[in-house]
Amino acid sequence: MVYSLDRMKKDVDSLLQKLGAQIKAERKSRKLTQTQLGELAETGINFISQIEAGKPTAQIGKVLRVLQILGFEVKVERR
């Protein structure tokens, strides 16, 4: 399947927004502040804020560490 660059960007942006929303919801359900989660993940509050906002420049290694701390399992599947 061939994707246009514009379509791929929209798909990635949508995925990042959804991922950020899930991270924020889970953090809040655990009654953690952004600062506390940042300390647990060895990142700063700015990084946590950026991934919760779906910012596309977040470093994947740090994102995966945050997901692991919150108990998420990451799966990669072919479409």
Side-chain angles (χ1 to χ4, degrees), residues 23 27 32-41 48 66 69-70:
I23 288 170
R27 174 183 61 78
L32 292 171
T33 65
Q34 288 181 333
T35 300
Q36 290 168 324
L37 180 55
E39 288 171 357
L40 289 170
I48 300 300
V66 169
I69 287 167
L70 292 175

